[in-house]
C-alpha cells in the first residue's frame, strides 16, 4: 500500500476495553433477567399497552403538556419582560414570582391549587364601586384538571421566565442602543429587535423544558387526574399487576420523549447556526492571516 | 420636519463615581459644520457623542441639539425629563453610527435601512423599501439589499449602518469611531461615504483616529484628553501647528 494512503490508527487505552466488558456484562445481565424473570409479565404489558384507558391517559398527558407549556410560555414571557423592566416595583413583582414558584416543590403547589377553596371558598368577580358582582364557588370551579393546568402552568412560567431572561441578556447591548438611537418605542424594540434575537437561545431551552414537562405531568396523578400514570394506577389497583402496568407507563413516556427529542435536536442545530451568524455580526472582522493586506 | 442642525453645549459634565469622564465641555457646532474629535482612548470622545445621541445622560450642563434641550425641558430650578415620545422624536433627528455597526442581524440590509422609517415614523413599507434601495445605492451598495449582515464585509456593514441612520433624515450625524473595527483596506470606502455626506452639507461630529480624514474634511478639530477639550480649531492649526504640549505629544505618537 502506498504510504500516502495509509490511515492513521490510534491506540486504545486499557480503560476502553474494560468499559466495553462492563457494558456487555450489564446489557447481558439485564436482557437475561428481563426474559427469564416471569414477574415482568410481558404478556400483560402487551395486553394493556394500547388499552383504551391507557391511550386516553396518554392523550390527557399530551394535552396537559401542551396547555402547561402554552400558558406557561405566555405568562413566562410577561414575567420576563417585567423582570427586565427599569421600573423597580414591576421588577420586584416579577422576581418575587420567580422566587416563590421556583423555590417550592411543584407537587406541593399542585396540591395547594387543588385545595385553594379552603383558603378562598368564594371569589366575587365584579366591577369595583358599582355593586355589580358575581360570586363564584371556587370548590366547583377548581376541578382536579383545572388545578393541574393552573399548577403546572404557573410553575413552568417561572422557569420559562428565567430562560427568556437569559435570552434577553444574550442580545448585544449595541442592538438596543441602535434601536434607541433610531427612536424606536419600547414595544417595537422588544418585538422587532430583542425577541427575534433572543429566540436562538430561548427556543432550544424551551424544547428541553417541554420534554421535562411531559414527564412532570405524572405528578398530577396525586390529584386523581386520569393522565397516563393515573390510568395505569387505576388498572393495577383492580388487577394487582403493578409492575407490568408501570412498565407500560414507562414505555409510553420513553417513546414520547424520544419522539420529542428528534425535532428538539433539529431545532438546536438550526438555531446554533443562526446564533453563530448573529454573533459573527457583532464580532470584528477577522484580521487576515499573514501580511498580504498591507 | 424642522431643520437646524446645530449642537450647543455649555459646561457639560459627567462622572462615573469618582471618575470624571466629561469635565465641563463647551460646544458650538454650526449647521453643516464638520467636527472631528480626536484624542487617546478613554479621553471622553465616545461619551460626548453618546450624550449628544441621548444614549448616556450628562450629570449637569446645557445640551441643545437641533436647537432643543435634548431629553429635558428647562424649568426655573431644574431640567425635567421629556416624555418618551418627545425624546424619540428628538432622536429621530440625530443619526448615530457605531464602531461595531450594530446592524440588526435578523434583518437584511434593506430591512435595516427601512427599520427606522417603518417602525418609528410609520412610513409605508413600499415607499421605505424604495428609499432604502436608493440610500444603499448612495453608499455604493446597490444590489446588496437582500444580504444579511453576516454576508457583508465590515466596510459594507458600516455603510449599511450609515444608510440606516440617513433614512431618518437626521439634521446631525454622529460617528463614534466608525472605522476602528475595520480591516485597514476597508477603511477608505467608509471614509469616502462620509466625505460625500460632508460635501452635501450634513452637520457631522466624528470621533476618529483617522488624522488624514480630519485634516482633509474637518472644519474644526477638537483634541480631547481626560474628559476635557484641550485644544480646538481648524485642522491646519490643531493638527499642523498644535500649541498645547498634550496635543503635540499625542500627535507625535499617532502621526
Amino acid at each position: 500500500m502506498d504510504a500516502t494512503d495509509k490511515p492513521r490508527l490510534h491506540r486504545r487505552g486499557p480503560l476502553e476495553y474494560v468499559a466495553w466488558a462492563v457494558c456487555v456484562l450489564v446489557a447481558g445481565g439485564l436482557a437475561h433477567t428481563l426474559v427469564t424473570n416471569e414477574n415482568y409479565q410481558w404478556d400483560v404489558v402487551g395486553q394493556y399497552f394500547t388499552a383504551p384507558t391507557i391511550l386516553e391517559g396518554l392523550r390527557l398527558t399530551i394535552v396537559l403538556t401542551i396547555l402547561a407549556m402554552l400558558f406557561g410560555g405566555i405568562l413566562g414571557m410577561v414575567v420576563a419582560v417585567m423582570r427586565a423592566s427599569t421600573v423597580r416595583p414591576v421588577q420586584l413583582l416579577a422576581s418575587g414570582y420567580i422566587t416563590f414558584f421556583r423555590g417550592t416543590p411543584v407537587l406541593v403547589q399542585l396540591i395547594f391549587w387543588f385545595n385553594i377553596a379552603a383558603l378562598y371558598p368564594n371569589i366575587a368577580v365584579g366591577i369595583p364601586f358599582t355593586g355589580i358582582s358575581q360570586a363564584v364557588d371556587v370548590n366547583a370551579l377548581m376541578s382536579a384538571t383545572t388545578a393541574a393546568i393552573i399548577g403546572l402552568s404557573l410553575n413552568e412560567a417561572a422557569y420559562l421566565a428565567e430562560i427568556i431572561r437569559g435570552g434577553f441578556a444574550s442580545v448585544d447591548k449595541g442592538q438596543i442602543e441602535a434601536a434607541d438611537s433610531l427612536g424606536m418605542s419600547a414595544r417595537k424594540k422588544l418585538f422587532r429587535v430583542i425577541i427575534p434575537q433572543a429566540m436562538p437561545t430561548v427556543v432550544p431551552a424551551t424544547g428541553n423544558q417541554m420534554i421535562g414537562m411531559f414527564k412532570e405531568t405524572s405528578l398530577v396523578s396525586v390529584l386523581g387526574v386520569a393522565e397516563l400514570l393515573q390510568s395505569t394506577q387505576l388498572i393495577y389497583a383492580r388487577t394487582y399487576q403493578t409492575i407490568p402496568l408501570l412498565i407500560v407507563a414507562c414505555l409510553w413516556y420513553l417513546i414520547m420523549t424520544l419522539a420529542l427529542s428528534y425535532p428538539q435536536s433539529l431545532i438546536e442545530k438550526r438555531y446554533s447556526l443562526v446564533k453563530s451568524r448573529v454573533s459573527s455580526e457583532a464580532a470584528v472582522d477577522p484580521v487576515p492571516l499573514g501580511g498580504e493586506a498591507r | 420636519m424642522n431643520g437646524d442642525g446645530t449642537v450647543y453645549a455649555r459646561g457639560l459634565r459627567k462622572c462615573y463615581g469618582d471618575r470624571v469622564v466629561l469635565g465641563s465641555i463647551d460646544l458650538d457646532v454650526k449647521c453643516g459644520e464638520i467636527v472631528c474629535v480626536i484624542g487617546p482612548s478613554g479621553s471622553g470622545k465616545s461619551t460626548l457623542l453618546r450624550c449628544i445621541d441621548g444614549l448616556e445622560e450628562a450629570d449637569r450642563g446645557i445640551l441643545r441639539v437641533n436647537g432643543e434641550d435634548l431629553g429635558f425641558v428647562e424649568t426655573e430650578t431644574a431640567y425635567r425629563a421629556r416624555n418618551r415620545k418627545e425624546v424619540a422624536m428628538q432622536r429621530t433627528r440625530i443619526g448615530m453610527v457605531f464602531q461595531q455597526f450594530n446592524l440588526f442581524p435578523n434583518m437584511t440590509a434593506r430591512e435595516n435601512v427601512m427599520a427606522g422609517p417603518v417602525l418609528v415614523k410609520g412610513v409605508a413599507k413600499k415607499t421605505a423599501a424604495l428609499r432604502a434601495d436608493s440610500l444603499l445605492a448612495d453608499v455604493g451598495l446597490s444590489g446588496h439589499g437582500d444580504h444579511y449582515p453576516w454576508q457583508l464585509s465590515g466596510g459594507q456593514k458600516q455603510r449599511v449602518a450609515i444608510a440606516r441612520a440617513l433614512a431618518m433624515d437626521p439634521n446631525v450625524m454622529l460617528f463614534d469611531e466608525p472605522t476602528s473595527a475595520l480591516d485597514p483596506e476597508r477603511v477608505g470606502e467608509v471614509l469616502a461615504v462620509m466625505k460625500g455626506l460632508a460635501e452635501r452639507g450634513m452637520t457631522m461630529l466624528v470621533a476618529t483616529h483617522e488624522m488624514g480624514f480630519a485634516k482633509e474634511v474637518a472644519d474644526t478639530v477638537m483634541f480631547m484628553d481626560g474628559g476635557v477639550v484641550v485644544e480646538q480649531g481648524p485642522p491646519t492649526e490643531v493638527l499642523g501647528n498644535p500649541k498645547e504640549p498634550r496635543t503635540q505629544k499625542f500627535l507625535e505618537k499617532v502621526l
Side-chain angles (χ1 to χ4, degrees):
Chain A
M1 196 185 202
D2 188 354
T4 58
D5 289 333
K6 286 179 186 166
R8 291 182 197 278
L9 302 178
H10 289 266
R11 286 163 179 278
R12 289 196 177 167
L15 206 63
E16 197 171 337
Y17 293 107
V18 174
W20 272 115
V22 170
C23 193
V24 168
L25 273 172
V26 168
L30 207 59
H32 181 257
T33 174
L34 282 173
V35 173
T36 55
N37 188 338
E38 284 178 0
N39 292 334
Y40 280 107
Q41 303 177 54
W42 290 104
D43 52 328
V44 181
V45 172
Q47 181 195 335
Y48 282 109
F49 190 64
T50 53
T53 317
I54 299 291
L55 291 183
E56 186 53 31
L58 178 65
R59 195 188 64 88
L60 190 56
T61 290
I62 294 171
V63 169
L64 280 174
T65 306
I66 292 171
L67 288 180
M69 288 307 289
L70 186 71
F71 295 140
I74 294 168
L75 186 60
M77 179 62 85
V78 173
V79 174
V81 171
M82 286 171 66
R83 184 75 177 70
S85 167
T86 48
V87 184
R88 196 86 177 114
V90 173
Q91 206 186 78
L92 283 174
L93 221 57
S95 33
Y97 179 92
I98 294 169
T99 310
F100 180 80
F101 282 94
R102 291 207 312 172
T104 53
V106 204
L107 185 55
V108 177
Q109 288 172 30
L110 285 165
I111 300 170
F112 194 89
W113 286 110
F114 189 48
N115 293 296
I116 193 76
L119 200 55
Y120 299 104
N122 286 293
I123 46 169
V125 182
I127 308 159
F129 312 120
T130 58
I132 304 167
S133 94
Q134 178 68 48
V136 179
D137 180 9
V138 175
N139 226 338
L141 190 74
M142 195 55 72
S143 73
T145 314
T146 318
I149 292 168
I150 291 177
L152 290 175
S153 301
L154 292 183
N155 185 259
E156 191 58 23
Y159 284 91
L160 288 177
E162 282 296 274
I163 288 173
I164 296 168
R165 187 167 76 100
F168 287 175
S170 75
V171 177
D172 185 49
K173 218 177 117 242
Q175 291 291 314
I176 291 151
E177 292 186 345
D180 277 339
S181 94
L182 290 174
M184 250 185 236
S185 66
R187 211 164 54 97
K188 293 266 164 62
K189 206 163 52 179
L190 181 66
F191 285 104
R192 301 307 186 97
V193 177
I194 300 174
I195 289 178
Q197 292 188 56
M199 281 301 148
T201 313
V202 171
V203 172
T206 305
N208 266 328
Q209 284 294 114
M210 181 146 177
I211 293 174
M213 175 55 78
F214 190 77
K215 293 171 289 170
E216 212 173 287
T217 52
S218 61
L219 289 175
V220 309
S221 62
V222 298
L223 307 183
V225 176
E227 44 69 67
L228 183 54
L229 180 60
Q230 176 70 6
S231 306
T232 63
Q233 286 174 337
L234 285 174
I235 297 171
Y236 71 64
R238 206 159 22 88
T239 66
Y240 298 105
Q241 293 159 321
T242 310
I243 295 295
L245 277 152
L246 286 178
I247 290 174
V248 168
C250 281
L251 285 175
W252 275 119
Y253 282 118
L254 202 59
I255 289 168
M256 288 304 294
T257 45
L258 283 174
L260 284 171
S261 304
Y262 180 66
Q264 167 69 9
S265 71
L266 289 187
I267 287 170
E268 269 174 24
K269 222 178 268 172
R270 197 189 120 72
Y271 277 105
S272 75
L273 185 70
V274 175
K275 204 154 43 177
S276 71
R277 283 173 182 173
V278 169
S279 58
S280 76
E281 150 61 15
V284 176
D285 273 4
V287 176
L289 291 173
E292 78 279 359
R294 309 281 161 140
Chain B
M1 185 65 28
N2 11 9
D4 200 338
T6 62
V7 181
Y8 173 88
R10 283 294 175 272
L12 205 63
R13 278 160 287 165
K14 184 173 179 63
C15 299
Y16 290 130
D18 289 341
R19 205 163 66 84
V20 179
V21 277
L22 291 181
S24 200
I25 304 280
D26 295 344
L27 275 176
D28 278 292
V29 184
K30 291 189 291 291
C31 185
E33 189 174 347
I34 315 298
V35 179
C36 281
V37 188
I38 61 169
S41 319
S43 60
K45 319 187 281 292
S46 271
T47 310
L48 177 61
L49 292 192
R50 291 165 61 81
C51 281
I52 299 172
D53 194 38
L55 290 173
E56 306 219 12
E57 195 183 304
D59 299 329
R60 289 290 153 90
I62 304 172
L63 175 59
R64 290 189 195 125
V65 185
N66 292 319
E68 293 173 8
D69 285 307
L70 185 78
F72 292 82
V73 182
E74 191 179 357
T75 66
E76 291 270 330
T77 52
Y79 277 100
R80 283 192 181 281
R82 291 175 191 267
N83 70 39
R84 285 186 197 188
K85 242 185 178 159
E86 281 178 346
V87 176
M89 267 305 296
Q90 289 186 326
R91 283 179 144 175
T92 61
R93 297 167 56 200
I94 308 165
M96 180 82 164
V97 175
F98 299 89
Q99 182 178 350
Q100 298 292 347
F101 331 124
N102 296 347
L103 290 182
F104 303 126
N106 51 321
M107 302 179 196
T108 62
R110 184 183 298 110
E111 287 166 347
N112 264 282
V113 181
M114 288 164 64
V118 172
L119 299 178
V120 180
K121 288 185 172 173
V123 174
K125 274 195 177 171
K126 256 188 182 164
T127 321
L130 284 176
R131 177 83 203 287
D133 282 339
S134 100
L135 281 165
L136 285 173
D138 285 348
V139 296
L141 288 174
S142 46
H144 287 75
D146 292 322
H147 290 168
Y148 281 91
W150 59 270
Q151 296 170 308
L152 300 171
S153 74
Q156 290 172 329
K157 282 187 224 180
Q158 193 60 297
R159 286 184 281 152
V160 173
I162 293 173
R164 175 176 70 178
L166 289 175
M168 298 301 277
D169 298 311
N171 305 109
V172 176
M173 282 286 285
L174 309 169
F175 296 83
D176 186 7
E177 301 201 24
T179 58
S180 298
L182 299 180
D183 288 343
E185 77 267 34
R186 297 289 188 181
V187 170
E189 63 194 53
V190 172
L191 292 181
V193 168
M194 290 167 62
K195 214 172 122 186
L197 199 57
E199 280 161 6
R200 276 180 280 161
M202 176 66 77
T203 307
M204 289 166 55
L205 273 96
V206 186
T208 186
H209 292 295
E210 296 293 328
M211 296 305 152
F213 177 82
K215 195 181 267 174
E216 190 184 350
V217 181
D219 299 308
T220 307
V221 173
M222 269 173 62
F223 171 69
M224 283 182 75
D225 194 11
V228 295
V229 179
V230 177
E231 189 170 354
Q232 65 176 319
T236 43
E237 280 174 33
V238 178
L239 298 175
N241 185 21
K243 294 186 180 55
E244 297 288 329
R246 267 198 282 179
T247 319
Q248 290 164 1
K249 227 174 164 187
F250 173 75
L251 289 173
E252 259 168 45
K253 272 188 219 155
V254 296
L255 287 180

